């Protein structure tokens, strides 16, 4: 632990390590571990510590399937409910001015992913920023996933046991609040924070635009391959939560209330019930995903697309875009989109049957596999991203891209 990496945060001192021209701190808690009575509750403050806390190793990944935690062939990051940590990477060379801050939110359909994935390390980004300017400070975060982070179970609260909604979203806000309190100690400028994310992380960015609690916590936003429309209504979320506890009850013999069952369920049981729910929802209503932000009328008052349209979203410059063939990843890795003719037929039956012929006409070769994949990808990512870009551009500088490779 090098002396020059000791930093005093609002919760206590930490010590990181130097890696060439960079300084790194990992596994810094930004909220209390959401375990025991804090399971399914909004993030709570960290208990301060004495001495110097070691910040040289990654914190735990959020609870998820093991495949989402692979760091290299045969090596996996431990996962746990105790996962609310972040990481900071900064140039070792001092700067006379505070550096811009970039906060990365990882993707993974709100069910997979971790900031420890090598691609998200941030080293190349910080080094390249030194070539162009005096550098940036890079922050990456972990947040709760799956049923523990993105299922609205508030209907099962009791007078003695309360559950909160939008937990993963609340985690992201708590991490941004930590940045405001502490990033100056790492050389960062708390008045120049850019949030950016990809896939579910991109959806997190477009959702944070419409989250009142995030006001003033960031000043620019970059949404890469966001699916801005994948935000559930309260009614749908309520139905999904009821189905979820039904799947959970199938394997539970403990009796008592639903709250009791949610408290005693182990993470494996929660994961299996979540997988059943995800496949049930996808096959019944293609294009919808049960794990994600919920318009609860409180923490997230309205759909981000509506908030951007009516001007109530945070007024910050935005970059938003998608990949040329966004849907190609999903049939092979995460079968979660309407990317085959059967699901596409169901999708139009549930929305606007008269539009189907007009839409698929634009995809030569439909209903072949390649064209169907493009329909699902454009429906989920490209079209809503364009809608959001057009609306936001009426009030703020907005830049759009499409990445073809």
């Amino acid at each position: 632990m090098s002396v020059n990496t000791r930093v005093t945060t609002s919760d206590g001192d930490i010590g990181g390590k130097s890696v060439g021209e960079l300084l790194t701190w990992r596994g810094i808690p930004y909220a209390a571990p959401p375990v025991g009575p804090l399971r399914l509750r909004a993030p709570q403050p960290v208990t301060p510590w004495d001495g110097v806390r070691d910040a040289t190793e990654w914190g735990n990944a959020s609870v998820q399937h093991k495949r989402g935690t692979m760091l290299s062939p045969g090596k996996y990051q431990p996962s746990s409910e105790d996962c609310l940590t972040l990481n900071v990477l900064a140039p070792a060379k001092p700067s006379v001015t505070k550096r811009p801050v970039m906060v990365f939110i990882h993707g993974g359909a709100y069910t997979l992913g971790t900031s420890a994935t090598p691609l998200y390390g941030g080293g190349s980004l910080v080094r390249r920023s030194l070539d162009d300017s005096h550098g940036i400070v890079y922050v990456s975060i972990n947040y709760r996933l799956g049923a523990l982070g993105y299922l609205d179970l508030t209907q099962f609260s009791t007078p003695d046991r309360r559950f909160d909604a939008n937990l993963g979203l609340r985690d992201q806000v708590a991490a941004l609040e930590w940045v405001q309190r502490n990033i100056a100690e790492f050389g960062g400028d708390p008045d120049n924070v850019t949030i950016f994310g990809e896939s579910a992380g991109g959806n997190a960015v477009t959702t944070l635009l419409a989250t009142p609690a995030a006001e003033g916590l960031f000043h620019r936003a970059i949404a890469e391959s966001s699916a801005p429309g994948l935000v559930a209504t309260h009614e749908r979320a309520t139905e999904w939560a009821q189905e979820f506890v039904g799947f959970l009850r199938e394997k539970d013999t403990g009796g008592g209330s639903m709250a009791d069952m949610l408290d005693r369920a182990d993470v494996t049981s929660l994961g299996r019930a979540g997988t059943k729910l995800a496949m049930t929802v996808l096959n019944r209503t293609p294009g919808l995903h049960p794990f994600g932000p919920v318009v609860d009328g409180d923490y997230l008052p309205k759909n981000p697309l509506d908030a951007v349209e009516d001007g109530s979203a945070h007024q910050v410059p935005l970059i938003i875009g998608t990949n040329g063939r966004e849907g190609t990843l999903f049939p092979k890795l995460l079968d979660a989109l309407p990317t085959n003719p059967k699901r596409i037929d169901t999708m139009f039956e549930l929305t606007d049957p008269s539009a189907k012929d007009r839409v698929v006409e634009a995809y030569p070769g439909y209903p072949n596999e390649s064209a169907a994949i493009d329909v699902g990808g454009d429906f989920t990512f490209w079209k809503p991203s364009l809608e959001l870009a057009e609306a936001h551009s009426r009030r703020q500088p907005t830049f759009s891209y499409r990445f073809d490779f």
Side-chain angles (χ1 to χ4, degrees), residues 7 64 67 73 135 143 165 188 220 223 236 265 290 308 366 375 379 396:
V7 173
Q64 60 189 281
R67 71 174 181 272
Y143 55 96
R220 295 171 180 81
R236 282 196 188 278
V308 171
Y366 187 86
V375 172
F379 166 80
Q396 286 293 317

Side-chain angles (χ1 to χ4, degrees), residues 16-41:
K17 61 183 176 182
S18 58
V19 183
E21 58 190 329
L22 304 180
L23 303 178
T24 178
W25 299 265
R26 295 174 174 172
I28 308 168
Y30 64 83
V35 300
L38 295 185
R39 174 187 270 190
L40 299 173
R41 294 300 312 276

Side-chain angles (χ1 to χ4, degrees), residues 82-389:
D82 178 3
C83 63
L84 301 186
T85 62
L86 53 76
N87 319 289
V88 180
L89 192 63
K93 183 179 179 181
S95 173
V96 295
T97 59
K98 294 294 184 183
R99 292 181 162 107
V101 180
M102 296 191 72
V103 180
F104 180 70
I105 307 171
H106 72 75
Y110 290 127
T111 56
L112 299 171
T114 165
S115 61
T117 298
L119 186 64
Y120 304 153
S124 60
L125 179 62
V126 179
R127 291 188 186 95
R128 287 176 64 185
S129 73
L130 286 168
D131 295 336
D132 299 328
S133 64
H134 65 300
I136 66 165
V137 175
Y138 172 79
V139 179
S140 57
I141 68 173
N142 285 341
Y143 55 96
R144 282 173 281 183
L145 302 171
L148 290 167
Y150 281 98
L151 199 60
D152 185 348
L153 296 161
T154 55
Q155 63 186 293
F156 305 114
S157 296
T158 69
D160 299 321
R161 183 66 167 97
R162 176 182 163 187
F163 300 126
D164 297 310
N166 282 311
L167 296 168
L169 178 61
R170 291 175 189 262
D171 294 343
Q172 293 155 10
V173 170
L176 292 172
E177 291 172 338
W178 184 96
V179 168
Q180 287 297 306
R181 293 193 303 270
N182 295 290
I183 207 64
E185 299 300 321
F186 298 84
D189 184 353
D191 295 321
N192 188 359
V193 175
T194 298
I195 58 172
F196 70 122
E198 177 267 341
S199 193
N203 177 273
V205 169
T206 51
T207 303
L208 285 163
L209 286 172
T211 303
E215 184 175 6
L217 300 182
F218 62 94
H219 313 92
R220 295 171 180 81
I222 304 171
E224 307 163 41
S225 300
S226 175
L230 287 186
V231 176
T233 64
H234 177 69
E235 292 74 21
R236 282 196 188 278
T238 298
E239 177 186 347
W240 293 337
Q242 291 168 353
E243 290 184 278
F244 174 81
V245 297
F247 292 134
L248 197 60
R249 181 67 86 186
E250 290 174 2
K251 301 294 183 180
D252 181 89
T253 58
S257 68
M258 295 296 188
D260 294 333
M261 181 178 67
L262 290 167
D263 276 341
R264 67 173 171 260
D266 59 52
V267 295
T268 300
S269 299
L270 293 169
R272 287 172 177 163
T275 298
K276 284 186 178 181
L277 176 66
M279 293 312 299
T280 299
V281 170
L282 175 64
N283 290 323
R284 182 177 63 220
T285 48
L288 295 183
H289 182 54
F291 300 116
V294 176
V295 179
D296 58 7
D298 176 24
Y299 202 77
L300 185 62
K302 60 180 70 172
N303 188 293
L305 287 168
D306 295 332
V308 171
E309 181 69 35
D310 68 22
S312 62
H314 303 310
Q315 298 304 305
V316 299
L318 172 69
I319 299 173
I320 184 169
T322 67
N323 296 333
R325 300 193 66 219
E326 198 75 65
T328 54
L329 172 72
F330 289 85
K332 301 172 184 177
L333 183 65
L334 189 66
D335 189 16
L337 296 185
T339 50
N340 63 57
K342 181 179 178 181
R343 287 181 183 167
I344 290 169
D345 287 346
T346 302
M347 179 182 75
F348 279 107
E349 288 169 6
L350 295 171
T351 53
D352 182 2
S354 66
K356 179 191 166 186
D357 290 342
R358 299 195 306 275
V359 170
V360 299
E361 230 174 55
Y363 295 84
Y366 187 86
N368 68 32
E369 180 184 23
S370 177
I373 285 171
D374 286 341
V375 172
D378 288 354
F379 166 80
T380 306
F381 296 98
W382 176 71
K383 181 178 183 291
S385 291
L386 278 186
E387 291 174 344
L388 190 141

Side-chain angles (χ1 to χ4, degrees), residues 44-68:
Q44 299 299 308
V46 171
T47 300
W49 58 84
D50 297 321
V52 182
R53 184 186 182 106
D54 181 75
T56 61
E57 302 294 334
W58 301 111
N60 297 317
S62 177
V63 171
Q64 60 189 281
H65 192 283
K66 186 177 179 180
R67 71 174 181 272

